[in-house]
Amino acid sequence: MDISRIIPEECEQAKNLILEGFRERFGWIDETLNPDIKDIAASYDGVDNHFFVGTDQKGIICTGALKRQGVSIYEIVRMSVRSDMRSKGLGRTMLQHLEDTAKSLKAVKLILETNRAWEDAVGFYMRSGFVIIRENENRYYFEKILTGSSRTSSVSS
């Protein structure tokens, strides 16, 4: 898998992958709840907000994004892996890429949130060093304090 910053020609395919994941999880999609993916290129400017795609010869197989939430805090959003490509380490690879990118941007903390019912996602983030810092009846809120310099990545950005 190659990971790179999204280009305009990939935006529709990335949006569809994310929405298909929601359809799989919820059985329906309310596109009004996701305004940032209506126009990914406008929402993720490559300065404060960064959107990445993982691709193979068939196209986009996973997505992940960083949104600046403070001077040294980034939020991980839009983590999605195409259903037929799950359990192959692609999510872990994308998450590591996002962490390395955040470190290169001088981040000291990553945050994210996920649905409580998504037990596989909750376990994935906990195994990846994220800690639950808050919760409500529907969501878990995680953080990870970053230490050390970023690793050299073999993927393009």
Side-chain angles (χ1 to χ4, degrees):
M1 172 178 70
D2 291 318
I3 298 176
S4 60
R5 291 185 188 278
I6 196 163
I7 58 174
E9 297 79 19
E10 296 171 322
C11 290
E12 190 67 21
Q13 187 181 6
K15 172 185 158 183
N16 290 338
L17 186 148
I18 293 164
L19 291 176
E20 189 53 42
F22 288 153
R23 181 177 289 114
E24 179 185 338
R25 293 283 187 168
F26 297 116
W28 56 275
I29 298 172
D30 181 350
E31 291 191 36
T32 65
L33 297 177
N34 302 288
D36 66 311
I37 61 172
K38 277 191 166 199
D39 189 349
I40 292 172
S43 297
Y44 296 89
D45 58 12
V47 176
D48 287 324
N49 303 313
H50 309 269
F51 197 103
F52 298 94
V53 291
T55 59
D56 68 5
Q57 61 277 13
K58 297 177 187 173
I60 296 174
I61 54 177
C62 68
T63 64
L66 292 168
K67 294 179 86 171
R68 184 185 295 272
Q69 298 297 330
V71 174
S72 57
I73 301 170
Y74 280 86
E75 181 180 15
I76 292 177
V77 296
R78 301 305 176 202
M79 285 284 298
S80 190
V81 176
R82 201 173 71 201
S83 62
D84 65 324
M85 298 299 288
R86 293 189 189 134
S87 299
K88 298 176 187 272
L90 303 177
R92 183 156 318 284
T93 300
M94 177 60 79
L95 186 62
Q96 186 62 58
H97 181 77
L98 295 173
E99 186 173 323
D100 290 345
T101 300
K103 286 179 182 180
S104 76
L105 295 167
K106 308 295 186 232
V108 297
K109 181 167 54 172
L110 288 172
I111 59 173
L112 62 87
E113 63 181 85
T114 195
N115 190 302
R116 287 178 70 113
W118 296 357
E119 294 176 7
D120 54 341
V122 171
F124 169 72
Y125 292 124
M126 293 179 81
R127 286 188 305 277
S128 299
F130 286 82
V131 178
I132 297 171
I133 57 167
R134 189 170 49 109
E135 61 185 274
N136 62 33
E137 64 185 53
N138 298 316
R139 311 208 45 86
Y140 284 122
Y141 299 84
F142 292 88
E143 77 174 14
K144 182 176 184 178
I145 304 301
L146 302 177
T147 58
S149 60
S150 64
R151 296 190 311 175
T152 303
S153 179
S154 62
V155 294
S156 59
S157 19

